[in-house]
Amino acid sequence: MISNIGPRATVDLPGGEAFGGDYIRLAHTAPKPSANIVINFATQQRLVDVPGLVTFGKTRRLCNMGELTATCPELAPAGWHQYVAYAVPRPAIGDFDEKTEIEASLQDLRDEFPGFAQAKMLSMRVMRDGWPAQRSCAGFDLPQTTPLAQPLARGRRGEGLWRRWHPGLRLHRPRGRAPGRSPPGRCPRGGGGVMAVAELQAQVDQARALLARLRPLFEHGVAALARACAPGGQLDGAKLDEQQVATFEIAWASADLLAAETTLARLNGDPLQSQLALIFAVDAIAALLPRLEALCIELGLPLAPLQQLGADADWAALRGAAGGAQALTAAGRALVAAGDAVELGSVALQDPVVMAQDAFRRFAADVVAPQAEHIHRHDTTVPESLLQPMRDMGVFGLSIPESHGGTGPDEGEDATMMVVVTEALSEASLAAAGSLITRPEILSRALISGGTDEQKATWLPRIAAGDPLCAIAITEPDYGSDVASLALKGTRTEGGWLLNGAKTWCTFAGKAGLLMVVTRTDPDRSAGYRGLSVLLVEKPSYDGHAFDFQQPGGGRLSGKAIPTIGYRGMHSFDLAFDQFFVPDANVIGGAGGLGKGFYFTMAGMVGGRMQTSARACGVMRAALRASMRYTADRKVFGAPLQAYALTLAKLARMAARLAACRTLAYAIAEQLNAGGGRMEASLVKLLACRSAEMVTREALQLHGGMGYAEESAVSRYFVDARVLSIFEGAEETLALKVIGRSLLEDALKP
Amino acid sequence: MISNIGPRATVDLPGGEAFGGDYIRLAHTAPKPSANIVINFATQQRLVDVPGLVTFGKTRRLCNMGELTATCPELAPAGWHQYVAYAVPRPAIGDFDEKTEIEASLQDLRDEFPGFAQAKMLSMRVMRDGWPAQRSCAGFDLPQTTPLAQPLARGRRGEGLWRRWHPGLRLHRPRGRAPGRSPPGRCPRGGGGVMAVAELQAQVDQARALLARLRPLFEHGVAALARACAPGGQLDGAKLDEQQVATFEIAWASADLLAAETTLARLNGDPLQSQLALIFAVDAIAALLPRLEALCIELGLPLAPLQQLGADADWAALRGAAGGAQALTAAGRALVAAGDAVELGSVALQDPVVMAQDAFRRFAADVVAPQAEHIHRHDTTVPESLLQPMRDMGVFGLSIPESHGGTGPDEGEDATMMVVVTEALSEASLAAAGSLITRPEILSRALISGGTDEQKATWLPRIAAGDPLCAIAITEPDYGSDVASLALKGTRTEGGWLLNGAKTWCTFAGKAGLLMVVTRTDPDRSAGYRGLSVLLVEKPSYDGHAFDFQQPGGGRLSGKAIPTIGYRGMHSFDLAFDQFFVPDANVIGGAGGLGKGFYFTMAGMVGGRMQTSARACGVMRAALRASMRYTADRKVFGAPLQAYALTLAKLARMAARLAACRTLAYAIAEQLNAGGGRMEASLVKLLACRSAEMVTREALQLHGGMGYAEESAVSRYFVDARVLSIFEGAEETLALKVIGRSLLEDALKP
């Protein structure tokens, strides 16, 4: 096999076992700084008629090229287009012949662009090793010829991700500037004016300083609330219930605050990202101040510190400069100039992850998106034409270690990859692609955390392969968020358990061949959550909206899909179990797992919430991009909608929110990878899901009547987004029971 | 005919012409103060097991009765239930025999409630003439026997509104306390505590004082913005475009401010209404302060006055007392205790209007609601089983004078009745009932404002009768809000015009037999809106989602419904006109009407927006009531959802928003009746429609997963509500071009 997607991604394709130890070792070493050849030139004939970065798939050395004047026309004299091209020499690490490598790069440019012959060369530089922005492993230091003859040999994974969705045989679509690679310098702002990077940086510093003053005031409020809820030093249930309104408020305040802090902390010098981060931060501070004031009034705390901050001249100056109408429209203009494929948020990804992102976005756009509307409007079941390639690409094994047949790491976890893949798929369809990962995520984590070795060996590779597909049955008609009260009854019988009772909102239960069923195996109901176990129910896979499965021994499981306004394709089922037999082998953890179902279930919840944040980001990205395209095309009162200040301001606010949610989501994925971030996964889920509601609402509004028509994709984004704040932990449950509680507990710690 | 719905409503049933002049004269005199017999008593056995006011339909004298202790248990000693009953003597105006009349009232109580025999009498008072709260015309001073033999004789109106939907033969469902009739005294607040009416009143005064200080600051900002947009003293188009973001903000600020002011100005002493008005006002002030601060920063105005107000101790005190967690949960508790039929908002209606409200709510609940889900989910056409009774009830003639066969007044207009009927119908279904009135509203106003006498005589009675049904074709594929650019072309031909071109979003075009088509009759496109005329297109009525109508002479009109996520039932059509012939007689205003189409169209727009506010209020009311019921039934963590503080706070905020929108809508309907309120109709449309989005969003959230299921009505309220901010003037258009512009123009007036 020859692969040029980089060593880690190459290994991930067929799985690690297929390679020799040497290759694996080479592949898994940390990314290394590669050299870069940077060529600046200008032409009078425009070479590319789209803004953004053009990425090349089949060249000698040339990697990508961007027209700087597409977004910053003032860089060049009138009539000239200025470009920067990046090439990677061979070898990328260590010595190389500069002259030969530069010539190969220039030859690429001549081949790709006939107009390059007339180019005026401005500069040619070789960047080596130490230059920070180029810290990436280009892959050329590893042999492109791998020890594998053909990844197809492993069967299930099919042709592999790269060959199908990253063919490299044609010019890629233009992509937005990758973070960290944006050209330094000046960027347009206001009516043709420019704002120096230094000025933006000063505003960023100002915003950080304000947030740094706000943080202790917030924590002061949390501490006071914690004391009010813990008269005896420990949180008291009744007091917590009394203080629900205040607790709800601090959960939201903490989400806004953390998102603003994180977004400002992770800026990488890209002017548009800075502008958007400032817009989000200004809106967040403006929302936080009255929220915290109300909290202070509620708890009898002094208002003066907040009022002083609110009356601060720095704050007024920042609001005007970075959050005012001019700043909004300028950011909107810069956004529109960057094109709808611009990357928003400060998300620094390793090359293999970028490659996966690219591959999944391509798959989403080429294969999922064309089917998404039909699946939604006809409420059909996710078809095999989507499921099979996702199986092939290893989607169902993202949180299963490679050693168990998955595509996740053997050590630790790779939440970042999960977020990348989920986001990319959700952009094309929340229901028919982006949400497929949640179920194997939850089930495989339950198995990993509690399953016997035999169960892991039996089920994990099959789940990873997407055969069977799986579903999670927790919620019951009378119990939503209240897991400890679940009632579906398992009764001991010879060799196993008989299940009787009902579950509801079991998504994908029809198509799935394996259900994770949280069952009350202890007849003593007072045992609460300690009476629950997780049983694996095997059943045939059904298409359609209802099924009725009879076991030979007389057991029965029937299901009926609940029609919903969106999130269609997987269908969420009402399930009825009637003397349904489950063998002992299918109790997770065996006899030792009885009564531990609650913990096994919880093991997957954090990942499920993280994943849902990514789903929300994908839907937001789709809605924003659709709005950018529509407002460019749609004319009102004689000009494109995008020419109007209000449209630009709306687009800027939507982009700012998406950027903040993405930055936070990826930051928290990193925390999860490092073993932390459990509460924060709920927090970003809270924020991103509500943000998706807001962004899709505005997207629909920008589309006017067309947005309300089912044939426009934004109408689907809008109804789909509405489910996000309900499932995987309803907004209220997360705010009160997870985030609020955790903040209050932390505040009580000495 | 014998009628006891009151004289005006009786006359409205079959239409004025049917009555003798004497009866009409009597009926149209102003409402007169009637006497009341008020009986206070207490029982140990509970007589009615629901809170609120019970209204009686078939009694001698007794009108209604309420249990005071249902909401204010502290009024009576433990174990006792305290009631107040109201009866109207005969005659209600002038002298009557007190003893006989009281005895008749008591006999009613004995008949209705066997337990009344054990009642302990507390007081019996006769209220006469001057007592303000009883200013109503009970109808007993007019003969109940009218000069009409049978209203059915007029055919089209069928059995009449009263007989079908206000049978009076059974005990009415309990209704909430009517405004102005709430018992004075104390009401529950907080954990069993009580708050004196005086304390509430002090808070109301405080809120009014704060708003009175905010108003000039707002106007100062508007004036500054106006100056910025009018460098030469007149508003400048380019400057207005530059200032879109600020203008959008002031439009919203003005809506919040006016709603808060109006809500506080119209309180009638009912404690719940006061609590809700305060909650809305506190939220509005909290939103206005940062909004106005941002505006001041934008325009370089001093921030100090706003900051002083924000730091005012009165403001902090009010926020804590009237908008804090305790106040929210107390209001939620009072709301829940009042029951889901409680009337929210300070809306004082005359008796005939109350009767219509009652009748239409009954019709909506009994006839429309049971069909609403099916129509929505199967996207069927509004069936005759709904249309015919609405024809019978005179719904299509609400804005057509009685003298032209309608149910509106001959002099002036009755926007209040339109709002009442629309709101009542929209509560059951926005799409299949509440929105049917908009089309005849717009068309009949165009006819009244510009039609020839012959056109009025021909069309108005037919439109009023709902035969034909009508539709309005304005929007075109390339022109939404931009009416002046409309392009559908009318070309002169012998005896009329040939239409060629397209229209879109023409709601009800299939079922309608009459389309109002805004047509460019002047070939000179530079004439802009002065080149438009209104043509009436007659066509057959079609059920279904597409039609193709061929004229004998070769003309053709085809239509295709655009599938939408909600607002289903009437269907919105794409229309294609191809050499479609319209005779001269169908040009509104004849030859003199050519080029005046824009003005004729505008004549109906104000009513359409007022009506849309009522549609929004109806949807909100439905969503709130569904949420009140669901949260009472649904148990989580062992208690009804309604037992939790956060639920109560959410319900209170939803109710506060509905109450404010209703109060404002009815206040502006009064202004329209008095000949004003044109800008304000857009303002309340803006606020009520966005509020409906917010309230239905929260309603869905309170329902959890169930809210997302199509079988739950809130899922329909949610998708239906989303159309409100788009049609009848999109949010952005109203905020910038109507409200903002009008505020700025007013500010420039000397």
Side-chain angles (χ1 to χ4, degrees):
Chain A
M1 182 175 88
I2 295 183
S3 158
N4 64 346
I5 57 172
R8 284 192 63 170
T10 301
V11 170
D12 287 349
L13 263 183
E17 313 96 292
F19 287 87
D22 276 359
Y23 196 94
I24 299 285
R25 190 170 37 74
L26 281 167
H28 280 87
T29 48
K32 291 168 281 287
S34 82
N36 252 254
I37 298 165
V38 184
I39 304 167
N40 279 282
F41 63 95
T43 60
Q44 288 186 294
Q45 179 196 336
R46 201 171 177 200
L47 302 185
V48 188
D49 59 359
V50 287
L53 212 63
V54 180
T55 306
F56 302 90
K58 199 186 176 191
T59 50
R60 296 171 191 83
R61 303 291 183 269
L62 184 62
C63 290
N64 47 50
M65 185 186 85
E67 182 189 347
L68 303 179
T69 40
T71 45
C72 302
E74 73 280 6
L75 282 177
W80 284 88
H81 302 274
Q82 185 178 335
Y83 296 89
V84 60
Y86 295 87
V88 174
R90 283 194 203 180
I93 297 176
D95 273 346
F96 57 89
D97 181 332
E98 287 199 5
K99 203 176 153 193
T100 316
E101 296 302 308
I102 289 177
E103 177 47 34
S105 308
L106 291 172
Q107 192 54 46
D108 281 336
L109 281 165
R110 283 180 214 116
D111 290 352
E112 295 289 335
F113 303 105
F116 182 74
Q118 281 80 47
K120 176 179 173 141
M121 297 307 296
L122 302 173
S123 74
M124 264 185 280
R125 291 177 60 194
V126 175
M127 311 266 197
R128 280 176 191 275
D129 302 345
W131 198 53
Q134 301 299 328
R135 286 207 168 269
S136 58
C137 178
F140 285 118
D141 58 327
L142 271 185
Q144 281 186 275
T145 306
T146 67
L148 277 194
Q150 166 60 281
L152 283 175
R154 295 194 76 226
R156 187 162 329 275
R157 286 160 207 265
E159 292 177 56
L161 172 158
W162 163 249
R163 297 259 303 249
R164 286 180 67 159
W165 311 117
H166 200 281
L169 295 170
R170 54 191 168 93
L171 202 74
H172 296 187
R173 291 191 200 163
R175 298 181 57 208
R177 280 167 289 164
R181 297 199 191 161
S182 53
R186 298 160 78 83
C187 211
R189 170 135 196 285
V194 295
M195 181 168 56
V197 167
E199 195 183 322
L200 258 184
Q201 185 57 48
Q203 291 175 5
V204 168
D205 291 342
Q206 219 169 24
R208 284 180 185 152
L210 286 164
L211 287 170
R213 288 169 62 190
L214 208 47
R215 167 62 71 181
L217 299 176
F218 165 76
E219 283 174 358
H220 199 56
V222 173
L225 181 59
R227 286 192 300 274
C229 292
Q234 293 285 314
L235 289 179
D236 174 90
K239 290 282 175 199
L240 279 170
D241 276 355
E242 248 175 53
Q243 295 288 359
Q244 279 192 344
V245 177
T247 309
F248 194 67
E249 291 293 308
I250 62 152
W252 281 104
S254 83
D256 276 352
L257 185 56
L258 186 64
E261 288 168 342
T262 307
T263 305
L264 289 174
R266 296 197 159 223
L267 289 173
N268 53 23
D270 180 283
L272 175 58
Q273 306 289 353
S274 300
Q275 285 172 288
L276 296 177
L278 284 163
I279 288 168
F280 182 84
V282 167
D283 282 352
I285 296 172
L288 275 160
L289 285 171
R291 203 159 219 159
L292 294 180
E293 278 176 21
L295 190 70
C296 287
I297 293 170
E298 196 76 43
L299 298 166
L301 298 175
L303 278 169
L306 280 166
Q307 285 168 345
Q308 276 158 20
L309 185 54
D312 194 295
D314 274 1
W315 167 226
L318 183 70
R319 275 171 105 173
Q326 274 221 320
L328 287 166
T329 49
R333 220 168 275 131
L335 175 74
V336 161
D340 73 354
V342 64
E343 288 297 344
L344 297 175
S346 301
V347 176
L349 300 176
Q350 305 293 349
D351 265 6
V353 183
V354 171
M355 208 59 85
Q357 182 180 59
D358 199 43
F360 278 96
R361 282 186 178 167
R362 209 170 277 273
F363 169 74
D366 294 349
V367 181
V368 179
Q371 302 190 53
E373 182 187 332
H374 180 87
I375 294 170
H376 169 68
R377 293 179 62 181
H378 299 273
D379 201 7
T380 59
T381 305
V382 188
E384 282 296 324
S385 58
L386 292 188
L387 291 169
Q388 194 51 45
M390 283 194 264
R391 289 191 188 100
D392 296 345
M393 292 163 88
V395 162
F396 300 97
L398 275 167
S399 40
I400 296 176
E402 287 189 335
S403 54
H404 280 105
T407 41
D410 280 341
E411 301 283 321
E413 67 176 294
D414 190 356
T416 306
M417 182 64 94
M418 179 183 72
V419 166
V420 159
V421 174
T422 299
E423 188 188 30
L425 294 174
S426 299
E427 195 178 334
S429 171
L430 175 74
S435 297
L436 286 164
I437 308 176
T438 322
R439 275 134 280 279
E441 161 83 22
I442 294 171
L443 175 48
S444 57
R445 292 212 187 262
L447 272 167
I448 291 165
S449 110
T452 62
D453 287 346
E454 198 184 330
Q455 286 170 335
K456 289 181 200 172
T458 306
W459 289 111
L460 290 176
R462 294 186 57 192
I463 295 169
D467 180 17
L469 296 161
C470 51
I472 311 296
I474 303 176
T475 305
E476 295 180 4
D478 290 331
Y479 305 100
S481 306
D482 183 8
V483 175
S485 300
L486 294 175
L488 181 97
K489 198 168 139 194
T491 313
R492 257 254 153 266
T493 187
E494 205 191 312
W497 298 81
L498 290 175
L499 269 50
N500 284 285
K503 291 282 178 185
T504 188
W505 295 109
C506 181
T507 301
F508 219 31
K511 189 79 182 172
L514 185 66
L515 310 185
M516 166 177 154
V517 182
V518 178
T519 309
R520 185 162 295 281
T521 46
D522 184 340
D524 176 11
R525 282 215 58 175
S526 71
Y529 62 83
R530 285 180 303 271
L532 300 174
S533 306
V534 175
L535 275 60
L536 296 178
V537 162
E538 293 172 80
K539 63 174 266 297
S541 171
Y542 299 95
D543 280 315
H545 294 73
F547 66 86
D548 193 350
F549 169 45
Q550 308 255 2
Q551 289 179 315
R556 187 172 169 188
L557 168 60
S558 55
K560 195 167 174 306
I562 308 165
T564 49
I565 56 173
Y567 193 49
R568 296 169 178 168
M570 304 175 75
H571 316 314
S572 292
F573 284 76
D574 276 329
L575 297 179
F577 293 85
D578 179 19
Q579 295 289 97
F580 192 91
F581 177 76
V582 179
D584 279 329
N586 285 16
V587 177
I588 291 191
L594 287 174
K596 296 190 182 147
F598 180 76
Y599 305 101
F600 300 161
T601 307
M602 286 301 120
M605 287 299 153
V606 172
R609 285 163 194 166
M610 184 73 247
Q611 212 249 356
T612 305
S613 313
R615 292 194 266 185
C617 288
V619 174
M620 272 190 269
R621 189 167 189 268
L624 175 66
R625 295 180 66 195
S627 302
M628 289 171 71
R629 289 190 294 267
Y630 186 81
T631 55
D633 294 342
R634 175 74 179 175
K635 288 212 166 78
V636 287
F637 297 104
L641 205 42
Q642 227 169 57
Y644 294 98
L646 186 58
T647 310
L648 292 168
K650 285 189 172 212
L651 289 174
R653 277 219 162 88
M654 292 159 73
R657 191 158 275 279
L658 169 58
C661 289
R662 286 195 84 214
T663 302
L664 188 62
Y666 280 92
I668 289 171
E670 284 173 25
Q671 288 184 30
L672 290 179
N673 293 345
R678 292 180 65 82
M679 181 279 270
E680 289 78 5
S682 290
L683 184 141
V684 66
K685 194 268 180 193
L686 187 79
L687 182 71
C689 294
R690 181 72 80 93
S691 296
E693 289 184 57
M694 295 160 75
V695 168
T696 55
R697 188 267 169 202
E698 283 295 86
L700 196 153
Q701 189 69 21
L702 284 172
H703 280 69
M706 268 318 294
Y708 200 65
E710 289 193 289
E711 68 200 63
S712 88
V714 290
S715 73
R716 173 165 51 85
Y717 305 150
F718 174 73
V719 288
D720 277 357
R722 188 61 192 85
V723 80
L724 294 165
S725 298
I726 298 173
F727 65 12
E728 297 297 329
E731 190 168 275
E732 293 82 0
T733 309
L734 293 184
L736 298 179
K737 308 273 175 186
V738 183
I739 303 164
R741 204 181 167 102
S742 163
L743 290 169
L744 298 177
E745 277 169 358
D746 285 351
L748 287 175
K749 283 179 190 157
Chain B
M1 182 174 88
I2 294 183
S3 158
N4 63 347
I5 58 170
R8 283 190 64 169
T10 303
V11 170
D12 286 349
L13 265 183
E17 313 96 293
F19 286 87
D22 276 359
Y23 196 93
I24 298 286
R25 192 172 34 75
L26 281 166
H28 280 87
T29 48
K32 291 167 284 285
S34 82
N36 253 254
I37 299 165
V38 184
I39 303 167
N40 280 282
F41 62 96
T43 60
Q44 289 187 293
Q45 179 196 339
R46 199 170 179 201
L47 300 185
V48 189
D49 60 359
V50 287
L53 211 64
V54 180
T55 306
F56 302 90
K58 199 185 176 192
T59 50
R60 297 168 189 85
R61 303 292 184 268
L62 183 63
C63 290
N64 47 51
M65 184 185 87
E67 181 188 347
L68 303 179
T69 40
T71 45
C72 302
E74 74 279 6
L75 281 176
W80 284 88
H81 302 272
Q82 184 178 334
Y83 297 90
V84 59
Y86 295 87
V88 174
R90 286 194 202 180
I93 298 176
D95 273 346
F96 57 87
D97 181 331
E98 286 198 7
K99 203 175 150 193
T100 317
E101 294 304 308
I102 289 175
E103 177 48 33
S105 307
L106 291 173
Q107 192 54 47
D108 281 337
L109 281 165
R110 281 180 216 116
D111 291 354
E112 295 288 337
F113 303 104
F116 182 74
Q118 281 79 48
K120 176 178 172 140
M121 297 306 295
L122 301 173
S123 74
M124 264 185 279
R125 292 177 60 194
V126 175
M127 310 266 197
R128 281 175 189 275
D129 302 345
W131 198 53
Q134 300 299 327
R135 286 207 168 271
S136 58
C137 177
F140 285 117
D141 58 327
L142 271 184
Q144 283 187 273
T145 306
T146 67
L148 277 193
Q150 167 58 284
L152 282 175
R154 295 195 74 226
R156 190 167 323 281
R157 285 161 209 265
E159 292 176 58
L161 171 158
W162 163 250
R163 296 259 302 250
R164 287 179 67 159
W165 311 116
H166 201 279
L169 294 170
R170 56 191 165 94
L171 200 74
H172 296 186
R173 291 191 200 165
R175 297 182 56 207
R177 281 166 289 166
R181 294 197 193 163
S182 53
R186 298 160 78 83
C187 210
R189 169 133 196 287
V194 296
M195 182 168 54
V197 168
E199 195 184 322
L200 259 184
Q201 186 57 48
Q203 292 174 4
V204 168
D205 291 342
Q206 219 169 23
R208 284 179 184 150
L210 285 164
L211 287 170
R213 288 168 62 192
L214 209 46
R215 166 62 72 180
L217 298 176
F218 164 77
E219 284 174 357
H220 199 57
V222 173
L225 182 59
R227 286 191 301 274
C229 294
Q234 294 285 315
L235 289 179
D236 174 272
K239 290 280 173 199
L240 280 170
D241 277 354
E242 247 175 56
Q243 296 288 359
Q244 279 192 344
V245 177
T247 310
F248 193 68
E249 289 295 306
I250 64 153
W252 281 105
S254 83
D256 276 351
L257 185 57
L258 187 65
E261 287 168 343
T262 308
T263 306
L264 288 174
R266 296 197 159 223
L267 289 174
N268 52 25
D270 178 283
L272 175 58
Q273 306 289 352
S274 300
Q275 286 171 287
L276 296 178
L278 284 164
I279 288 168
F280 182 84
V282 167
D283 282 351
I285 296 172
L288 275 160
L289 284 172
R291 204 160 219 158
L292 294 180
E293 278 175 21
L295 190 69
C296 287
I297 292 171
E298 196 75 43
L299 299 166
L301 298 176
L303 279 168
L306 280 166
Q307 285 169 347
Q308 276 159 22
L309 184 53
D312 194 296
D314 274 2
W315 167 226
L318 183 70
R319 275 171 105 173
Q326 276 221 320
L328 286 166
T329 49
R333 219 169 274 130
L335 175 73
V336 161
D340 72 355
V342 63
E343 287 296 344
L344 296 175
S346 302
V347 177
L349 301 176
Q350 304 292 350
D351 266 7
V353 183
V354 172
M355 209 59 87
Q357 181 180 59
D358 200 42
F360 278 95
R361 282 186 178 167
R362 210 169 276 274
F363 168 73
D366 295 350
V367 181
V368 179
Q371 301 191 52
E373 183 188 331
H374 180 87
I375 294 169
H376 169 69
R377 292 180 62 181
H378 300 272
D379 200 7
T380 59
T381 305
V382 189
E384 282 296 323
S385 58
L386 293 187
L387 291 168
Q388 194 51 45
M390 284 194 263
R391 289 190 189 99
D392 296 345
M393 294 164 87
V395 162
F396 300 97
L398 274 168
S399 40
I400 297 175
E402 288 189 334
S403 55
H404 280 104
T407 41
D410 280 342
E411 303 282 321
E413 67 177 293
D414 190 356
T416 306
M417 183 63 95
M418 179 183 72
V419 166
V420 158
V421 174
T422 300
E423 188 188 29
L425 294 175
S426 299
E427 195 177 335
S429 172
L430 175 74
S435 298
L436 287 164
I437 308 175
T438 322
R439 275 134 280 277
E441 162 81 23
I442 294 172
L443 174 48
S444 57
R445 294 216 185 259
L447 273 166
I448 291 165
S449 108
T452 62
D453 287 347
E454 199 183 330
Q455 285 170 335
K456 290 182 199 171
T458 306
W459 289 111
L460 290 175
R462 293 186 58 192
I463 295 168
D467 181 17
L469 297 162
C470 51
I472 311 296
I474 302 176
T475 304
E476 296 181 3
D478 291 331
Y479 305 100
S481 306
D482 182 9
V483 176
S485 300
L486 293 175
L488 181 97
K489 198 167 140 192
T491 313
R492 256 256 152 265
T493 188
E494 204 190 314
W497 297 81
L498 290 176
L499 268 50
N500 283 286
K503 291 280 180 187
T504 189
W505 294 109
C506 182
T507 302
F508 219 30
K511 189 80 181 171
L514 186 66
L515 310 184
M516 165 178 154
V517 182
V518 178
T519 309
R520 185 161 296 280
T521 47
D522 185 340
D524 176 11
R525 283 215 59 174
S526 71
Y529 62 84
R530 287 180 302 272
L532 301 173
S533 306
V534 174
L535 275 59
L536 296 178
V537 162
E538 293 173 80
K539 63 174 267 298
S541 171
Y542 298 95
D543 279 317
H545 294 73
F547 66 86
D548 192 351
F549 169 46
Q550 308 254 3
Q551 289 181 315
R556 185 172 170 186
L557 169 59
S558 56
K560 193 166 175 307
I562 306 166
T564 49
I565 57 173
Y567 192 50
R568 295 168 178 169
M570 305 174 76
H571 316 315
S572 293
F573 284 76
D574 276 329
L575 296 180
F577 292 86
D578 178 18
Q579 295 289 94
F580 191 91
F581 178 75
V582 179
D584 278 329
N586 284 18
V587 177
I588 292 191
L594 288 173
K596 296 188 183 148
F598 180 77
Y599 305 101
F600 301 162
T601 306
M602 286 301 119
M605 287 299 153
V606 172
R609 285 164 194 166
M610 184 73 246
Q611 212 250 357
T612 305
S613 313
R615 291 193 266 183
C617 288
V619 173
M620 272 190 271
R621 189 168 189 268
L624 175 66
R625 296 180 66 196
S627 302
M628 289 170 72
R629 288 190 295 267
Y630 185 81
T631 56
D633 294 342
R634 174 74 180 175
K635 289 212 167 75
V636 286
F637 297 104
L641 206 42
Q642 227 169 58
Y644 295 98
L646 186 58
T647 310
L648 292 167
K650 284 189 172 211
L651 290 173
R653 277 220 161 88
M654 292 159 74
R657 191 158 276 279
L658 169 59
C661 289
R662 286 195 84 215
T663 303
L664 188 62
Y666 280 91
I668 290 171
E670 283 174 24
Q671 287 184 29
L672 290 179
N673 294 345
R678 293 180 65 82
M679 180 278 270
E680 289 78 6
S682 290
L683 186 141
V684 67
K685 193 269 180 192
L686 187 77
L687 182 71
C689 294
R690 181 72 80 93
S691 296
E693 290 184 56
M694 294 160 76
V695 168
T696 55
R697 189 266 169 202
E698 282 294 86
L700 196 154
Q701 190 68 21
L702 284 171
H703 280 70
M706 269 317 294
Y708 200 66
E710 289 193 290
E711 68 201 61
S712 88
V714 288
S715 73
R716 175 166 48 86
Y717 306 151
F718 174 73
V719 287
D720 277 357
R722 189 61 193 86
V723 80
L724 294 164
S725 297
I726 298 173
F727 66 12
E728 297 299 326
E731 190 168 273
E732 293 81 0
T733 310
L734 293 183
L736 298 178
K737 309 273 174 186
V738 183
I739 303 164
R741 203 181 168 103
S742 163
L743 290 169
L744 297 178
E745 276 169 358
D746 285 353
L748 288 174
K749 282 177 191 157

